[in-house]
Amino acid sequence: MLNENFGVKKIHIISRRMFIIGAAQFIVFSGIIARLFSLQVTENKKYLTLSDKNRLREWRLPPVRGEFLDYFGNIIAGNLKIYQLHVIPEQVEDFRYLILRLKTILNLSNNDFKKIIKQKNKQKNWETLIISKNLTWEQFTKINYFLHELSGAKPVLSVSRDYPFSENYTHILGYVSEASEKDIIDNEKIKNNHVPGLKVGKTGLEKTFENKLIGTNGVQRYEVNAYGKRIRQIDYKDGLKGKTIRLTTDTEIQKLCNELLKGLAGSISVMDIYTGDVIAMQSSPSFDPNLFLFGINQDDWQLIRNNPLKPLVNKTVSGLYSPGSTFKPMVALSALENNIVSKDFKVNCTGITEMYGQEYHCWKKKGHGIVNLKSAMKQSCDTYFYEVARKLGVDRLKETSIKFGLGEKVLNENFSNEKKGLVPDTTWKKNYLGKGWVLGETLITGIGQGYILTTPLQLCLMTAQLANGGFKIYPKITVGENDKTAEEIKFLISESLKNPNEKKHKRLFKDPKNIELIREGMFASTNETRGTSYASRIEDPKYQFAGKTGTSQVKRITKEQRELNLTTSQIPYEERDHALYVAFGPYKNPRYALSIVIEHGGSGSSAAAPIAKKLFKLIIDRHEQREKTRNDKSLKI
Amino acid sequence: MQNYSFNAQLSFFQKLKNFDYILLCCILLLGLISAFSMYSTDGGQILTHSRSHILKFLIFFPMMIVLSFLNIKFWHYFAYFFYIIILIFLIWASLYGIKASGSQRWINLYFINLQPSELMKIAIIACLAKYYHREQLNKVNTLQSILIALIILILPIMLVISQPDLGTAILIASSGLVVVWLAGLNIRYFIYSILTLLITLPFAISFLKPYQKLRILTFLNPDRDPLGAGYQIIQSKIAVGSGGLTGKGFLKGTQSYLEFLPEKHTDFIFTLFAEEFGFIGSLGLLLIYIVVIYRVIRIGAISRSYFAKFFCYGYGSAIFFYVTVNMSMVLGLLPIVGSPLPIMSYGGSSMLATMIGFAIVMSAKINHKHLIS
């Protein structure tokens, strides 16, 4: 009985307790269903986004860089198809065998080989390993020949920057190279379009116009797995190519400039005196910018960097030189404009002038005798210009010089490294050196020595503005859409000449006769006997040009040295004078101006002027072609 | 009825008639779903996992039906024996077991690598069911009775914890405790032990393995280390959540086939299913499990013998634990402890144990009118 009683009770307890468990189960299951509902229905959007973020990845493709054209539409910085060799280690059965085989086929150096192995160990197994960034055609054909035994190696067509005229455009264009961290931080556009290995402009116009040239990325969307491996392509979007930029330069002239400067340190600039187009602008020595495309090797870099002639400096815009006698036209003009002297003003040159116990020498020891404005310019008589400068004063001289573009950047912001140069005056000296101006400094400024510093391009601009009759021009190196043609500018100038109150074109003079006097002086200097560059003249009126030589001292000459009367070759290179020459032509109907600076060349008449003679022929010969191109509407950009 | 004759009075057809066909259908359905899920984890191909899983189901499911014909008395008679055999296996595993991913859970039986802790989940229920089958209600709360029950419980739990396999240990403990609870152990003892547990918990945590501690921390805040310890739970939630109402479609679960899901064959199989079939699919699967649990408990209710009652109630609750612990884990409601989803998850021992459990339940159904003296 007792047993049975307990039995009934036991059954009851079991059932009751099971009921409690059942109720608990019901609650728990409800909780799980609620959780499922909240995850899958309420928060579905959030998790769907997270899941897409997991599986979709975008790959940006390198943007295609805009090109540079010269005035005639020749590509001077283009995009070259190059052959690269890629290997995806994951797809290679025997990586060691493959890489050793490639090493022999491509003739890889041990150093390159080590670099590749290092890179391989750094990246994931399915990431592309670039064995060679730029295969030569022979290497490429050889690889293709052996391809059947090189499973896993992939010859690939890619795009790279290319400078077909190598060193001819180095300083104008600059070069591109892999973007550095700083490039990415400094430039928003580079940051937005960056892909590993992206090449950006490092110097020159490549850097200046980076934002126009860079273009936009193409985008590939891939589905990837948890390990980042691409499974399939979902989407593809083409990028936009960067803008093409057309320059005003003439590659033929540029090439000749480069040739004429071979072995020398210096610069040549050629400019259209009406449009301000920079026709050529070469700094020497130059180097091949193509070397930088795939990372320059250390030997080449050291060679460029340690060259005493400083190939890395763009001397045309950042080289600062005393203008020497090429500054004399400015002095003469300023004196005429300010009515300090007339064209008949005469000075007796004895070869030496004394002032306050200080001797000032003319370059000609025996002196030029009695000289007037024209003969003083012709023979570059220093004594005459000492006297004119003394009467004129440095402040008025500065006023005229600034008007003609000295002391200011010529190409605005086109070259980040362009220098302003320096035209001194009394206030400048007081502010910067804290000392009063002394008269002796005026004298040497009168012959383009002392504090005054100019860039070769400034001298070219100065000459161009004298050549066009004294009118302001705005130099430029890129072709713009709304550029005025030379004819339009000429017309404005003639209008302005007819009517002095006409302000359509900015005049840099008060009396056109003064400009004419200077031009005559320069003509005489080149085309009349005893002119300093008489030896470099061209008699054919088609090519005839007028110029002014300059020889600027880099070191003060002591009395003893003066008496030694050394020839150029006897002086150490760094102490030799800079040779300068500015000119414009053809004289009868001028169109082009140029400036030549040869560092430590000796004298302007012997080192610089002969270069102008060789150059002018080509410049004038190319003129017709240039005019034809100007009217070619298909080239307008 | 005094003598144990295992082919009782029922004829073969009577037995067949007494089968619980709803339960059978549900098990078959789960097997089918698990086959498709496994096929999906292999990326839409029949590879190692799916082939092996399907094969195991095809072996163990008929085995279960055959075992169902055994009289419930057989299970009652051998319950202690099973328990002791499995306990020996556990000791064997802890001494000579196969080591894999930091724990020593498997023993090599040459034809199969057996995980005895999975079988212990069933054995403990059977053992305690037999123990309380005889025990008088007034003796349940005596010190001697409690001590014996505790020893039965603690021995395997300690062995499994030492493997280490906290998840299985917890499941063994809870399955066993359910039987103890049903047997009528005074509710006081449960309250006392819960209080003691809470007090000793901080100390117990200091004994946990570093990875177990990490799991608890990760559970509390999965974003703490999204690429490390929190990765599994975050990816699991993304998979389930992105499934939405109707799911991404069969074989289209991006989280799984792009390999974002960890352990998708085993503990996280539900995640894959939820991603591909959505809320509706998950609810359906859950419903099948609920029906299974309901049927098992119902069999317990109609069983006349205490052993069958205890076992069915215990086993029904155990399935409830397996399912809810697994789902709560992948849904981020519980820390990650290794616990497979019955039948769905890859793993032979788990499947074997589950099927043996169902065989006993089915045998109880067939013989529900029998009393065991």
Side-chain angles (χ1 to χ4, degrees):
Chain A
M1 272 312 273
L2 198 72
N3 255 359
E4 210 140 293
N5 225 348
F6 272 120
V8 173
K9 228 179 156 193
K10 191 170 173 182
I11 287 281
H12 278 168
I13 284 201
I14 295 172
S15 304
R16 201 168 63 221
R17 292 199 165 187
M18 188 59 224
F19 181 76
I20 294 172
I21 292 176
Q25 289 179 351
F26 180 77
I27 293 167
V28 172
F29 274 125
S30 310
I32 286 179
I33 291 169
R35 174 68 168 182
L36 267 173
F37 187 83
S38 107
L39 281 181
Q40 299 198 288
V41 182
T42 318
E43 293 189 282
N44 173 241
K45 273 232 171 77
K46 172 183 152 194
Y47 286 108
L48 209 54
T49 318
L50 285 172
S51 146
D52 279 347
K53 231 165 105 186
N54 260 347
R55 74 185 178 99
L56 298 177
R57 204 130 317 157
E58 282 187 356
W59 266 269
R60 294 200 289 187
L61 303 172
V64 179
R65 202 170 171 81
E67 289 162 338
F68 277 108
L69 307 178
D70 75 354
Y71 193 78
F72 302 92
N74 302 311
I75 292 173
I76 53 177
N79 296 312
L80 190 69
K81 282 181 181 151
I82 51 163
Y83 302 101
Q84 297 191 325
L85 187 67
H86 293 183
V87 167
I88 299 175
E90 186 192 53
Q91 298 170 359
V92 182
E93 267 176 48
D94 187 349
F95 186 79
R96 259 193 82 75
Y97 167 79
L98 177 70
I99 194 75
L100 288 171
R101 193 84 184 82
L102 287 175
K103 190 186 173 211
T104 43
I105 292 173
L106 297 176
N107 248 331
L108 293 176
S109 71
N110 279 331
N111 219 350
D112 290 341
F113 185 71
K114 267 184 215 148
K115 256 187 222 161
I116 291 169
I117 298 294
K118 215 171 139 192
Q119 182 63 32
K120 192 226 164 196
N121 294 334
K122 226 168 49 184
Q123 61 189 35
K124 295 262 162 49
N125 229 10
W126 56 79
E127 283 175 343
T128 306
L129 179 67
I130 300 173
I131 302 289
S132 173
K133 285 176 179 170
N134 188 12
L135 291 171
T136 61
W137 176 246
E138 281 112 78
Q139 283 175 321
F140 184 70
T141 46
K142 213 167 160 191
I143 289 284
N144 278 315
Y145 182 74
F146 287 111
L147 207 54
H148 60 279
E149 48 178 298
L150 298 173
S151 82
K154 278 194 270 186
V156 175
L157 200 62
S158 181
V159 173
S160 145
R161 200 57 158 172
D162 174 50
Y163 301 103
F165 297 103
S166 61
E167 82 258 28
N168 286 302
Y169 271 110
T170 309
H171 292 105
I172 294 178
L173 297 176
Y175 57 84
V176 296
S177 196
E178 216 155 290
S180 68
E181 208 135 303
K182 195 174 173 298
D183 293 328
I184 298 167
I185 293 166
D186 289 353
N187 187 329
E188 193 74 13
K189 225 158 170 188
I190 294 179
K191 199 164 134 194
N192 293 339
N193 291 289
H194 188 257
V195 293
L198 178 73
K199 297 193 174 71
V200 299
K202 293 289 182 178
T203 60
L205 298 182
E206 288 270 29
K207 184 174 183 184
T208 311
F209 292 115
E210 182 62 49
N211 290 354
K212 282 186 180 171
L213 291 165
I214 189 164
T216 57
N217 296 117
V219 175
Q220 277 176 312
R221 255 150 69 97
Y222 275 94
E223 189 169 75
V224 298
N225 72 5
Y227 310 104
K229 181 176 175 173
R230 299 181 200 192
I231 305 296
R232 66 196 168 101
Q233 187 172 313
I234 305 267
D235 198 9
Y236 177 85
K237 209 175 75 207
D238 264 324
L240 288 174
K241 187 182 169 178
K243 282 216 173 67
T244 296
I245 294 174
R246 183 175 159 210
L247 302 188
T248 57
T249 54
D250 183 333
T251 306
E252 291 304 312
I253 298 173
Q254 190 76 25
K255 269 153 83 177
L256 182 62
C257 291
N258 180 54
E259 219 164 277
L260 292 171
L261 288 170
K262 271 261 155 70
L264 302 169
S267 153
I268 296 177
S269 326
V270 182
M271 197 182 281
D272 186 311
I273 64 168
Y274 292 110
T275 60
D277 285 358
V278 174
I279 308 290
M281 194 173 116
Q282 177 68 348
S283 173
S284 174
S286 188
F287 56 90
D288 185 356
N290 292 308
L291 290 175
F292 286 83
L293 295 178
F294 303 105
I296 188 164
N297 73 48
Q298 204 55 29
D299 295 346
D300 286 340
W301 173 238
Q302 290 305 338
L303 216 61
I304 292 171
R305 220 176 65 133
N306 297 332
N307 187 335
L309 302 185
K310 298 203 167 34
L312 288 172
V313 179
N314 184 357
K315 300 185 174 75
T316 322
V317 294
S318 34
L320 289 175
Y321 306 91
S322 305
S325 304
T326 56
F327 187 54
K328 283 173 183 165
M330 273 298 100
V331 182
L333 181 68
S334 185
L336 288 169
E337 288 278 290
N338 289 296
N339 294 317
I340 304 297
V341 298
S342 71
K343 66 172 179 152
D344 299 321
F345 175 74
K346 290 188 179 69
V347 168
N348 183 13
C349 170
T350 58
I352 192 160
T353 308
E354 208 188 296
M355 192 172 300
Y356 304 128
Q358 183 79 40
E359 286 180 345
Y360 296 91
H361 295 267
C362 183
W363 64 270
K364 196 169 178 185
K365 261 191 185 169
K366 287 177 277 178
H368 292 97
I370 292 172
V371 285
N372 65 4
L373 181 81
K374 191 174 167 186
S375 56
M377 279 196 51
K378 178 167 98 177
Q379 302 178 58
S380 199
C381 174
D382 292 339
T383 311
Y384 183 87
F385 283 94
Y386 291 144
E387 184 57 20
V388 172
R390 189 184 66 79
K391 296 180 95 172
L392 176 65
V394 73
D395 290 340
R396 281 186 285 200
L397 176 57
K398 176 176 180 171
E399 202 185 317
T400 311
S401 309
I402 294 285
K403 264 201 239 171
F404 276 79
L406 302 185
E408 289 296 336
K409 286 186 180 179
V410 177
L411 286 170
N412 297 321
E413 299 307 315
N414 278 353
F415 292 93
S416 58
N417 50 4
E418 180 165 6
K419 297 248 167 75
K420 278 169 86 169
L422 173 65
V423 182
D425 64 1
T426 50
T427 24
W428 168 82
K429 193 179 175 195
K430 200 167 274 161
N431 289 345
Y432 286 86
L433 300 178
K435 285 181 194 156
W437 185 267
V438 295
L439 190 54
E441 288 165 349
T442 306
L443 299 201
I444 57 167
T445 307
I447 62 162
Q449 297 281 159
Y451 298 118
I452 185 163
L453 288 172
T454 56
T455 67
L457 197 61
Q458 284 174 338
L459 292 176
C460 187
L461 174 62
M462 174 194 86
T463 313
Q465 289 178 150
L466 286 170
N468 70 17
F471 290 88
K472 178 111 187 112
I473 56 173
Y474 302 91
K476 59 188 191 318
I477 195 158
T478 52
V479 176
E481 257 176 73
N482 304 315
D483 287 351
K484 284 198 180 96
T485 64
E487 276 62 42
E488 285 165 349
I489 294 167
K490 267 189 200 167
F491 176 74
L492 289 175
I493 286 176
S494 65
E495 290 288 294
S496 184
L497 274 175
K498 269 186 243 160
N499 179 6
N501 296 327
E502 180 70 59
K503 287 277 158 45
K504 272 192 182 152
H505 213 278
K506 195 178 171 191
R507 301 160 66 131
L508 304 171
F509 57 87
K510 288 180 190 140
D511 188 348
K513 275 183 204 140
N514 295 336
I515 302 283
E516 199 44 47
L517 281 173
I518 304 302
R519 303 204 321 175
E520 277 166 19
M522 289 173 74
F523 178 78
S525 167
T526 307
N527 296 293
E528 290 177 11
T529 44
R530 288 193 288 161
T532 48
S533 51
Y534 183 62
S536 302
R537 75 192 179 282
I538 302 176
E539 277 165 4
D540 181 348
K542 190 182 168 192
Y543 303 112
Q544 193 172 44
F545 59 92
K548 181 72 199 80
T549 58
T551 305
S552 83
Q553 288 173 20
V554 291
K555 190 172 175 268
R556 202 183 169 84
I557 303 173
T558 61
K559 208 166 182 181
E560 294 78 46
Q561 281 169 329
R562 197 176 290 278
E563 272 154 18
L564 279 174
N565 206 3
L566 297 168
T567 59
T568 304
S569 56
Q570 287 171 297
I571 305 170
Y573 177 79
E574 311 83 63
E575 292 177 13
R576 290 178 200 167
D577 296 338
H578 291 325
L580 294 91
Y581 191 63
V582 296
F584 61 89
Y587 183 70
K588 278 283 151 54
N589 191 8
R591 188 58 199 272
Y592 298 102
L594 59 77
S595 74
I596 297 165
V597 175
I598 307 296
E599 285 185 5
H600 309 294
S603 80
S605 56
S606 65
I611 291 176
K613 181 180 178 178
K614 288 176 196 157
L615 202 50
F616 249 110
K617 250 183 104 65
L618 183 69
I619 294 171
I620 306 298
D621 284 341
R622 295 285 294 170
H623 177 70
E624 210 173 310
Q625 185 77 33
R626 195 175 175 85
E627 288 301 293
K628 227 186 263 167
T629 311
R630 197 186 294 280
N631 300 325
D632 185 352
K633 290 281 183 268
S634 69
L635 263 175
K636 277 267 191 259
I637 288 171
Chain B
M1 268 198 240
Q2 290 295 328
N3 62 331
Y4 284 99
S5 70
F6 297 126
N7 334 321
Q9 304 80 353
L10 291 172
S11 70
F12 176 76
F13 287 105
Q14 277 173 313
K15 282 184 178 180
L16 213 56
K17 214 185 106 202
N18 275 347
F19 259 85
D20 189 331
Y21 286 101
I22 295 177
L23 181 58
L24 215 56
C25 284
C26 286
I27 296 169
L28 210 54
L29 205 56
L30 285 175
L32 206 66
I33 293 172
S34 78
F36 279 110
S37 300
M38 216 47 82
Y39 178 72
S40 176
T41 66
D42 277 347
Q45 286 166 290
I46 299 212
L47 295 179
T48 0
H49 286 108
S50 35
R51 188 182 300 125
S52 162
H53 186 80
I54 292 166
L55 196 68
K56 277 169 191 157
F57 186 79
L58 291 180
I59 293 170
F60 293 139
F61 184 71
M63 182 204 77
M64 180 215 41
I65 292 174
V66 170
L67 290 181
S68 303
F69 286 98
L70 290 174
N71 196 305
I72 188 73
K73 287 176 190 162
F74 167 86
W75 298 108
H76 177 254
Y77 186 78
F78 285 107
Y80 288 156
F81 179 69
F82 286 143
Y83 174 80
I84 288 161
I85 291 280
I86 308 291
L87 206 58
I88 290 168
F89 278 170
L90 274 176
I91 295 165
W92 186 6
S94 71
L95 294 178
Y96 312 108
I98 302 163
K99 276 186 187 157
S101 51
S103 66
Q104 196 167 349
R105 298 177 189 174
W106 294 270
I107 54 174
N108 185 357
L109 291 184
Y110 299 101
F111 61 95
I112 185 173
N113 283 340
L114 194 71
Q115 192 183 343
S117 54
E118 285 292 338
L119 292 173
M120 186 47 96
K121 286 178 184 172
I122 304 301
I124 191 123
I125 300 171
C127 178
L128 284 168
K130 176 166 180 174
Y131 178 66
Y132 285 117
H133 172 71
R134 297 255 192 135
E135 201 75 329
Q136 297 286 341
L137 188 59
N138 56 351
K139 286 190 184 151
V140 167
N141 286 310
T142 60
L143 187 66
Q144 187 200 1
S145 168
I146 293 173
L147 269 180
I148 292 171
L150 271 183
I151 289 166
I152 292 173
L153 266 171
I154 282 176
L155 278 178
I157 290 170
M158 293 309 285
L159 283 167
V160 173
I161 283 183
S162 70
Q163 284 179 346
D165 185 354
L166 191 61
T168 312
I170 288 172
L171 289 176
I172 292 170
S174 37
S175 315
L177 283 173
V178 164
V179 182
V180 176
W181 157 266
L182 289 171
L185 189 71
N186 199 317
I187 207 158
R188 279 205 313 263
Y189 297 120
F190 285 95
I191 294 168
Y192 291 159
S193 40
I194 287 169
L195 284 178
T196 334
L197 195 72
L198 284 178
I199 293 162
T200 52
L201 201 64
F203 303 100
I205 283 175
S206 65
F207 284 105
L208 288 177
K209 305 269 171 194
Y211 82 92
Q212 287 167 333
K213 276 188 216 168
L214 198 63
R215 279 179 177 179
I216 293 173
L217 283 176
T218 306
F219 160 69
L220 294 174
N221 180 13
D223 297 323
R224 203 173 64 98
D225 181 9
L227 290 177
Y231 183 80
Q232 286 186 325
I233 190 63
I234 289 173
Q235 293 301 341
S236 172
K237 272 162 75 181
I238 291 176
V240 173
S242 64
L245 191 65
T246 53
K248 292 178 182 169
F250 182 51
L251 299 182
K252 285 182 186 147
T254 55
Q255 284 287 96
S256 88
Y257 85 79
L258 295 174
E259 293 169 61
F260 290 100
L261 268 189
E263 321 216 3
K264 54 185 174 183
H265 307 99
T266 55
D267 292 357
F268 286 85
I269 188 86
F270 176 68
T271 315
L272 170 129
F273 183 82
E275 187 188 13
E276 295 192 344
F277 297 99
F279 180 65
I280 292 172
S282 318
L283 210 59
L285 185 67
L286 197 59
L287 210 65
I288 296 172
Y289 278 115
I290 290 172
V291 170
V292 167
I293 293 165
Y294 169 74
R295 293 307 294 186
V296 171
I297 288 172
R298 211 188 77 99
I299 292 168
I302 62 171
S303 289
R304 293 184 64 193
S305 72
Y306 288 124
F307 173 74
K309 240 183 212 326
F310 279 130
F311 185 83
C312 291
Y313 285 170
Y315 188 57
S317 305
I319 296 172
F320 160 78
F321 284 129
Y322 306 155
V323 172
T324 50
V325 168
N326 179 280
M327 287 192 180
S328 307
M329 180 179 89
V330 301
L331 297 178
L333 294 170
L334 279 181
I336 294 184
V337 288
S339 80
L341 194 59
I343 301 181
M344 286 288 284
S345 285
Y346 183 78
S349 307
S350 163
M351 175 101 78
L352 177 66
T354 311
M355 288 302 184
I356 290 174
F358 281 130
I360 300 173
V361 169
M362 210 57 93
S363 162
K365 170 73 177 33
I366 293 167
N367 307 297
H368 68 268
K369 286 182 181 144
H370 288 208
L371 279 170
I372 303 165
S373 61

